[in-house]
């Protein structure tokens, strides 16, 4: 018989596998404007999950007759680097990557004014450099920063986080272990300025009263992440300002 090491997701003292409290987010690092060639870009780290996003467009795309005459099309490609996970990921796009590309596109689209750029395409690429749970939510956070960096008009940034459940304890910002062995994983994306929820998925089960609580907990976490996004954008503008002023001297 194979002996399996027991996985403790929550200690009796309320500590999670990585030492966090139930409502604690992982350390967040965000930097906007990391790629010179892209129109917009961002690097987002939620603990050990690291995602790079690049945006190109609005730009012409061929064949032109396939582009709608009244709006831009948004294309999203979510990919995992072969080295981003423990077991090497095969380079060809998996079904999961194709599905997540669609999920991320649908989470971003409601925040954009696509009708302002008829007959063009906006391409969003998100690349997971290191995966430790929550790569779709980190991708949404990075992509929305990269869209803003590209100067694409938006109703507001899109902010995302996953909440979940271990027994009757709600937890926030799940890592890989919690995603795999927890009782529920619920990724949520929202446009904080409008309050519109653009993504809500559920893996596992969540009793109705806990669902309400999870939503409240998620909103508090989203507020924190949204503030980090605004800070990263502000830092980007200050760097641009410094560069411009430097050139004028
Ligand atoms: O990453 P996210 O939570 O949005 O999506 P998921 O499909 O629920 O994947 C959860 C986690 O499983 C990822 O973040 C990775 O850490 C891990 N994973 C992996 O180790 N190998 C893969 N091929 C895919 C996912």
């Amino acid at each position: 018989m194979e002996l399996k090491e027991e996985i403790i997701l929550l200690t009796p003292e309320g500590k999670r596998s990585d030492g966090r409290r139930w409502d604690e987010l992982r350390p967040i690092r965000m930097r906007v404007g990391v790629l010179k060639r892209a129109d917009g870009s961002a690097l987002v780290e939620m603990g050990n999950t690291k995602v790079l996003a690049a945006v190109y467009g609005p730009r012409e795309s061929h064949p032109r007759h396939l582009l709608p005459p009244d709006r831009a099309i948004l294309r999203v490609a979510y990919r995992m680097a072969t080295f981003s996970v423990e077991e090497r990921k095969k380079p060809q796009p998996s079904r999961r990557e194709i599905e997540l590309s669609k999920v991320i596109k649908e989470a971003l689209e409601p925040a954009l004014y696509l009708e302002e750029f008829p007959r063009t395409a906006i391409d969003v690429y998100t690349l997971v450099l290191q995966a430790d749970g929550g790569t779709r939510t980190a991708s949404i956070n990075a992509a929305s920063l990269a869209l803003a960096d590209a100067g694409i008009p938006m109703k507001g940034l899109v902010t995302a986080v996953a909440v979940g459940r271990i027994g009757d304890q709600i937890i926030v910002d799940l890592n890989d272990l919690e995603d795999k062995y927890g009782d529920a994983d619920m990724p949520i994306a929202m446009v904080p300025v409008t309050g519109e929820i653009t993504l809500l998925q559920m893996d596992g089960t969540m009793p109705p009263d806990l669902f309400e609580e999870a939503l409240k907990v998620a909103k508090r976490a989203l507020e924190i992440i949204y503030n980090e996004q605004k800070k990263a954008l502000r830092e980007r503008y200050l760097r641009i300002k410094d560069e411009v002023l430097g050139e004028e001297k």
Side-chain angles (χ1 to χ4, degrees), residues 49 78 80 85-86 89 96 100 131-137 176 179-180 185:
T49 289
Y78 160 100
M80 282 186 131
V85 280
E86 208 153 304
K89 202 218 135 264
R96 177 179 170 276
L100 286 193
D132 184 23
T135 62
R136 84 194 61 198
T137 46
D176 186 37
D179 182 299
K180 283 203 178 80
D185 168 27

Side-chain angles (χ1 to χ4, degrees), residues 196-210:
E196 186 180 358
I197 289 178
T198 62
L199 165 81
L200 202 152
Q201 292 181 294
M202 169 87 79
D203 194 7
T205 57
M206 188 83 85
D209 53 328
L210 279 185

Side-chain angles (χ1 to χ4, degrees), residues 151-207:
I152 292 170
M154 299 163 88
K155 290 175 200 163
L157 290 166
V158 187
T159 310
V161 76
V163 286
R165 174 173 79 84
I166 303 168
D168 15 341
Q169 180 62 63
I170 298 292
I171 51 165
V172 71
D173 189 21
L174 281 62
N175 64 28
D176 186 37
L177 269 184
E178 295 169 334
D179 182 299
K180 283 203 178 80
Y181 301 106
D183 298 303
D185 168 27
M186 194 167 98
I188 299 178
M190 189 169 143
V191 186
V193 289
T194 63
E196 186 180 358
I197 289 178
T198 62
L199 165 81
L200 202 152
Q201 292 181 294
M202 169 87 79
D203 194 7
T205 57
M206 188 83 85

Side-chain angles (χ1 to χ4, degrees), residues 184-242:
D185 168 27
M186 194 167 98
I188 299 178
M190 189 169 143
V191 186
V193 289
T194 63
E196 186 180 358
I197 289 178
T198 62
L199 165 81
L200 202 152
Q201 292 181 294
M202 169 87 79
D203 194 7
T205 57
M206 188 83 85
D209 53 328
L210 279 185
F211 174 80
E212 292 296 331
E213 195 192 325
L215 213 52
K216 269 193 217 141
V217 169
K219 283 185 181 165
R220 280 205 299 272
L222 288 171
E223 189 70 39
I224 294 170
I225 299 168
Y226 178 49
N227 282 334
E228 290 294 322
Q229 284 176 303
K230 285 192 288 187
K231 201 169 104 202
L233 271 180
R234 221 174 290 127
E235 281 165 5
R236 165 70 165 150
Y237 294 135
L238 289 177
R239 283 203 307 276
I240 295 174
K241 192 174 140 207
D242 284 349

